[in-house]
Structures are given as C-alpha cells and as structure tokens.
Amino acid sequence: MFKRSFFLAVLLLLLFAVVFAQAESITVLNRTGRSIEIIQHASSGENQWGEDLIPEQTIADGQSAGIYISGPVPWSLRFIDSSGDIYVLYEVFPPASGKIRLGPEHLARLSVFAGARRRVQIVNRTGFPIIALQLSAVGNSEWGEDVLNGQPLRDGESRTFQLEALPGTLNYDLRFNLVAESRESVYEKPAVILTNGAVIVLTAH
C-alpha cells in the first residue's frame, strides 16, 4: 500500500514537471499608463479566453510581472486595466528576450466605447413614470440590479448613469417597469447597442 502511494505521488510530480516545463516563462512590461489587473491568453485554434494568469495580483504602470503560458502558438493575449479598458496582442510567439512590452498602442478600439464603465443617458418618453430599469447582456438569462436605485424617472425626464458593463459586450436587453393609472407594467427593449456616450430613449410601444 505504501509503495503504491509512493509511486503514485512520484508519477504526479513527474506529470506536473512535464506540464510546467512545457509552459513558457514570459515577463510582461506594463507601459500603458494604468494598472493591469487581468491577463488572459488563448492558444492557436481556441476561440475563448483562458483563466486569469495573474490572480490576486496587479501590475502597476512601469512595473513588470512574470507569467507562464502553455499551448500551441501563436497565442493571443488579452489585458484588462483598472478602468476596464482592454488591450489585445495577436499572433504572439515566445519572444527571444523573454519579455513582452504592453503599451497604449495595444488598446483595443472596441474598449474605447465598450469598456467596463459606460456613461449612458436614459430618456423617458413612455408617457408614464419609470420606477425600475434593469439590463442584461444578450444571451444572459439573469437581469442586473435596478439602475434607477429606487428613484423614479418621470415622463420627459432624462438622466445620465455610469453603468457597469461587460468589457467588449455591446448588445444588451433592457427591462423597465412603469406605472400607468396605478397599475405597474413591464416592458422590454431587446438587443440595444449600449456604448459609452449612448442616448437610450424608452417608449411604451
């Protein structure tokens, strides 16, 4: 029993060593002007981002950090800073220097208007007061918290909100509750393009 456990432990250690040896050690130099909070990678042929390579770690501007990347090359790397803006590097091969420099020139254009925080103006043209407003990314079955936070939006009134959104996601479903003749009704506005600086007009049609 002891020998079996011993050999199993040795086998696991060898397996870990092989996987670790196949991973490339790369130093990321942050020159974006902001702190980097998340780094993800996708190997060649993959269509989704992997887990955060620097969990519970932040790379301040001017600082560097080491990461390990495995999988077929070329890689794609995604970086998200403290403001929710996204930087992307495509067609990445293991650098001879072992270092990758990340600068403002790598800022993804999409993140300029589809970052994690977006300034959006909501205009009420329903003819009635809106007492609740919720958002949900298209394809997500769960609604977010009430954007109005218990403060009704009167008919004809407009209000600007700083909304939390999924970086890179443009299309959102909107659901709003309005009160007409002491009766509450629920309306939905599907697939609204929600960009930074957008003006959303809500109607009851």
Side-chain angles (χ1 to χ4, degrees):
M1 183 68 179
F2 173 77
K3 288 185 177 180
R4 183 178 179 182
S5 299
F6 175 77
F7 284 120
L8 181 59
V10 171
L11 181 61
L12 290 175
L13 286 174
L14 290 174
L15 180 61
F16 175 79
V18 170
V19 172
F20 187 78
Q22 291 177 342
E24 291 283 346
S25 175
I26 295 176
T27 299
V28 175
L29 309 175
N30 180 13
R31 301 294 186 267
T32 62
R34 296 179 178 175
S35 296
I36 298 298
E37 297 187 345
I38 297 174
I39 301 178
Q40 298 167 294
H41 103 286
S43 297
S44 177
E46 294 182 350
N47 58 6
Q48 61 182 6
W49 297 105
E51 296 182 356
D52 184 12
L53 298 176
I54 54 168
E56 301 181 2
Q57 183 181 358
T58 297
I59 310 175
D61 179 51
Q63 300 297 314
S64 62
I67 60 174
Y68 290 94
I69 304 178
S70 60
V73 295
W75 306 314
S76 296
L77 296 174
R78 180 168 77 163
F79 308 80
I80 303 178
D81 68 20
S82 53
S83 297
D85 287 337
I86 301 172
Y87 305 76
V88 180
L89 297 177
Y90 296 104
E91 299 293 318
V92 178
F93 289 86
S97 64
K99 299 178 180 179
I100 291 178
R101 179 189 178 280
L102 183 70
E105 67 274 16
H106 300 123
L107 180 66
R109 292 183 178 181
L110 181 63
S111 70
V112 174
F113 54 88
R117 298 176 182 86
R118 304 177 202 178
R119 190 171 182 270
V120 177
Q121 182 181 6
I122 304 295
V123 182
N124 182 2
R125 292 286 185 269
T126 64
F128 306 96
I130 296 176
I131 61 173
L133 172 64
Q134 296 169 285
L135 286 74
S136 175
V138 170
N140 188 346
S141 59
E142 297 184 1
W143 292 98
E145 297 181 357
D146 178 19
V147 173
L148 300 181
N149 197 26
Q151 300 180 4
L153 186 67
R154 298 186 300 272
D155 177 49
E157 182 184 1
S158 65
R159 196 178 301 168
T160 300
F161 300 90
Q162 193 76 17
L163 302 180
E164 299 290 333
L166 294 174
T169 300
L170 287 174
N171 294 325
Y172 282 80
D173 296 328
L174 273 62
R175 182 170 71 177
F176 55 96
N177 300 37
L178 56 82
V179 176
E181 299 178 354
S182 301
R183 180 180 178 182
E184 183 174 339
S185 301
V186 179
Y187 290 81
E188 292 188 8
K189 193 176 180 70
V192 175
I193 297 179
L194 198 67
T195 60
N196 187 44
V199 178
I200 308 298
V201 179
L202 300 179
T203 64
H205 303 295

